[in-house]
Amino acid sequence: MHPSAKRLLAFIAAALVCLPLGAQTQAGPWPTQQWSTATPEEQGMDSAALAALVDFGAANEMDSLVVTRHGRIVAEAYYAPFKPGMRHKLNSATKGVVATLTGIAIQQGKLAGTDRPVLEFFADRTVAHVDDRKKAMTVQHLLDMTSGLDWKEPLTDQRPDTLFEMLRSPNWVQFVLDRPMAQAPGTAFNYSSGNSQLLSAILARQTGMAVPDFAAQQLFRPLGISGEQWRKDPQGIATGGFGLYLQTRDMAKLGYLYLRGGEWEGKQIVPRSWVDRVYQAKVPMLLSATTDLRYGDQWWTLPARKAYMAVGYHRQIILVLPQSGVVVALTGRKNYPIDKMLDLVDQAVKSETPLAANPAAATLLAQRVEAVASEKLLAAAAPALAPSISGKTYRLAANNLGVREFTLHLGAKPSYEIVSFVARGSSDTKKVSLPLGLSGQFAPADASDGAAFVSKASWTGPDTLTVVVRQPEEAETVRYVLKFAGKQVAVTHINAFGFQQNLTGETID
């Protein structure tokens, strides 16, 4: 090669390195109406490696997985009983969407940057514990989780006490504003869904629209996203830190928007500069001595791996890998190691150009996707006591769950009924009837009331029945371990967070 040509190539390479990562977007189609699909090998990925990722999901309680490269879906899995077309709650990945809306509001002139003090947006309120530190708190501090507000919501399995206090309060925004300051704004990272709730309230004020309406108009509909749901606080303000429900394919669209530098079908939906800010996050999260996680504008960054994520509890993740043109959307019910998941994704990326077709690997991937989409039938025999408890109603002692009684029906069409109090302190009760999958498969309930439940049970001992109840879209799993002894029953209730309560009761028949 001629020396001048070498110098030109070196110059181009250096220029590309110096470009903001957000500018290094990938070519590809626009999945506004629907996603295009391709085999992994057509997009330079390995089907066998993606099969290993699907298996990792099965071992780590994923609900869904969508892998795209260059704007095409190359792998997609739904783990029973979660199914295609279902929405899934995003938990704190909602924060990444609220931050995206903040960038859009700035682009439209509805929010004058992020340096404005937060209290100026709430001048009509009386706020407690106001001092110079609270007066200095800005929108950017909210976005970066450096507000300085006293808040306990650790990114571990420890109890998020302040978050629970906010949820119990009659006015969430006021609760957050009234928190005392623990440190000066900008001092250090401290995770807080309260920060995001203030962002949501600010967006509603500045745009003159409810946040879900603004999101639908300016973000979701242009991307072809519909059917979303968004939880609201007692004042009707969309929850900024959690509460958004989307289909997994639509989560992937949001990641693809960031991969394309905020552009969609020739229109700059999100400012490119805003996407670049996410890619250049600087706030140390200090969650691990061995992993350099950074935070910025409500997104997580692993700089060494060039990985950018909107992350929610139990691994609701929108993952963007600009250097390889990969976007992955994941939902689930367990906090597994993110590094391990990233390793598997990276191992699947083999080339920037198509690979040779690999029928054996393609078959393996298809088999693994099919396997996780269904549950195995079990032919477990019922113990001798089953007929004696079937149809009996068991009245429980007073308990925090508000469950008054239950009845099991263990005949040809197994089901159960739970009678509980409508509210704490109320004497009014409601009865819920659900099918009971004793075949090893979850049985769906009638969702006419808007609540999609599935349940199944198994005999885990000669006198013990374990009932598992799930709300797939809520990523909630509750277990009841029922141990029978004569007319008595001992019930262990285990919620989605692993907390246990012990209840007792006896038959009233």
Side-chain angles (χ1 to χ4, degrees), residues 174-495:
Q174 191 66 47
F175 174 85
V176 181
L177 289 170
D178 286 343
R179 295 297 299 171
M181 299 296 289
Q183 55 193 356
T187 301
F189 175 86
N190 184 42
Y191 196 77
S192 165
S193 291
N195 291 346
S196 305
Q197 191 62 24
L198 293 184
L199 281 172
S200 182
I202 290 169
L203 279 172
R205 285 183 178 231
Q206 295 305 112
T207 62
M209 301 174 66
V211 168
D213 294 338
F214 183 67
Q217 182 185 98
Q218 302 297 330
L219 178 62
F220 294 152
R221 299 303 173 264
L223 271 58
I225 294 173
S226 61
E228 72 279 356
Q229 291 186 348
W230 207 319
R231 183 179 174 184
K232 298 178 181 179
D233 75 4
Q235 281 64 51
I237 298 170
T239 51
F242 50 92
L244 177 61
Y245 294 72
L246 292 175
Q247 293 187 37
T248 316
R249 283 189 166 202
D250 291 337
M251 293 169 64
K253 286 185 178 182
L254 293 171
Y256 190 55
L257 175 68
Y258 271 74
L259 182 73
R260 298 300 299 264
E263 178 191 352
W264 197 269
E265 291 187 321
K267 181 179 179 182
Q268 200 68 38
I269 303 292
V270 182
R272 183 177 294 274
S273 60
W274 189 267
V275 175
D276 291 340
R277 284 158 52 106
V278 167
Y279 289 161
Q280 297 163 12
K282 295 180 173 61
V283 178
M285 295 178 70
L286 304 176
L287 300 183
S288 168
T290 58
T291 302
D292 179 23
L293 271 169
R294 303 293 180 93
Y295 199 86
D297 296 311
Q298 309 274 285
W299 283 65
W300 299 33
T301 294
L302 274 166
R305 305 193 67 152
K306 304 296 188 293
Y308 311 92
M309 303 170 287
V311 180
Y313 182 69
H314 276 167
R315 298 299 185 249
Q316 324 312 322
I317 296 177
I318 301 171
L319 169 67
V320 183
L321 300 170
Q323 289 193 331
S324 59
V326 169
V327 171
V328 184
L330 313 102
T331 66
R333 294 165 289 116
K334 178 181 178 180
N335 285 334
Y336 51 77
I338 289 178
D339 274 338
K340 178 60 176 175
M341 179 270 292
L342 284 171
D343 287 343
L344 292 169
V345 174
D346 286 343
Q347 289 165 17
V349 178
K350 300 297 185 182
S351 171
E352 280 298 318
T353 57
L355 303 173
N358 188 335
T363 299
L364 175 64
L365 175 59
Q367 290 174 341
R368 300 314 304 142
V369 168
E370 182 180 4
V372 302
S374 61
E375 301 169 280
K376 293 181 179 179
L377 286 169
L378 299 176
L385 64 73
S388 66
I389 63 176
S390 181
K392 296 286 197 328
T393 297
Y394 289 82
R395 179 71 51 81
L396 299 177
N399 57 80
N400 291 333
L401 298 177
V403 179
R404 180 183 178 183
E405 60 191 44
F406 71 88
T407 308
L408 296 170
H409 301 283
L410 304 177
K413 294 184 177 180
S415 65
Y416 66 102
E417 300 165 355
I418 293 181
V419 176
S420 59
F421 293 104
V422 172
R424 188 183 298 272
S426 171
S427 59
D428 295 333
T429 60
K430 61 180 178 181
K431 180 167 71 173
V432 176
S433 299
L434 294 170
L436 191 61
L438 276 169
S439 63
Q441 297 179 329
F442 279 104
D446 177 9
S448 59
D449 61 353
F453 287 90
V454 296
S455 59
K456 68 179 178 180
S458 59
W459 292 101
T460 50
D463 57 359
T464 304
L465 183 69
T466 298
V467 180
V468 181
V469 183
R470 283 188 56 184
Q471 290 178 271
E473 293 193 333
E474 297 288 335
E476 298 288 349
T477 302
V478 175
R479 290 177 172 81
Y480 298 90
V481 181
L482 314 174
K483 189 175 181 64
F484 299 92
K487 298 182 63 175
Q488 309 295 315
V489 64
V491 181
T492 301
H493 171 268
I494 308 166
N495 71 8

Side-chain angles (χ1 to χ4, degrees), residues 45-217:
M45 299 186 75
D46 177 21
S47 291
L50 288 173
L53 178 62
V54 173
D55 287 343
F56 175 81
N60 287 278
E61 299 183 29
M62 280 189 193
D63 285 330
S64 61
L65 162 70
V66 172
V67 182
T68 79
R69 193 175 197 204
H70 303 152
R72 294 173 174 83
I73 291 178
V74 297
E76 186 172 21
Y78 296 89
Y79 299 79
F82 196 80
K83 297 179 180 179
M86 284 185 172
R87 291 178 295 264
H88 200 286
K89 71 176 182 181
L90 270 60
N91 291 335
S92 287
T94 302
K95 294 177 171 72
V97 178
V98 169
T100 301
L101 296 173
T102 302
I104 293 172
I106 291 172
Q107 177 174 256
Q108 296 180 351
K110 295 175 180 177
L111 181 62
T114 60
D115 293 332
R116 185 175 171 186
V118 170
L119 293 186
E120 290 184 6
F121 295 99
F122 303 98
D124 57 334
R125 293 177 182 249
T126 300
V127 177
H129 303 294
V130 174
D131 58 14
D132 288 342
R133 296 176 299 177
K134 187 173 283 191
K135 290 178 182 178
M137 181 175 59
T138 67
V139 171
Q140 191 61 53
H141 292 132
L142 300 181
L143 287 163
D144 289 345
M145 294 297 177
T146 58
S147 66
L149 292 170
D150 183 24
W151 197 272
K152 184 179 179 181
E153 189 180 344
L155 290 169
T156 64
D157 290 332
Q158 293 179 333
R159 183 181 173 89
D161 290 334
T162 316
L163 173 62
F164 287 165
E165 289 178 37
M166 182 185 80
L167 296 179
R168 291 192 295 265
S169 71
N171 189 313
W172 295 6
V173 170
Q174 191 66 47
F175 174 85
V176 181
L177 289 170
D178 286 343
R179 295 297 299 171
M181 299 296 289
Q183 55 193 356
T187 301
F189 175 86
N190 184 42
Y191 196 77
S192 165
S193 291
N195 291 346
S196 305
Q197 191 62 24
L198 293 184
L199 281 172
S200 182
I202 290 169
L203 279 172
R205 285 183 178 231
Q206 295 305 112
T207 62
M209 301 174 66
V211 168
D213 294 338
F214 183 67
Q217 182 185 98

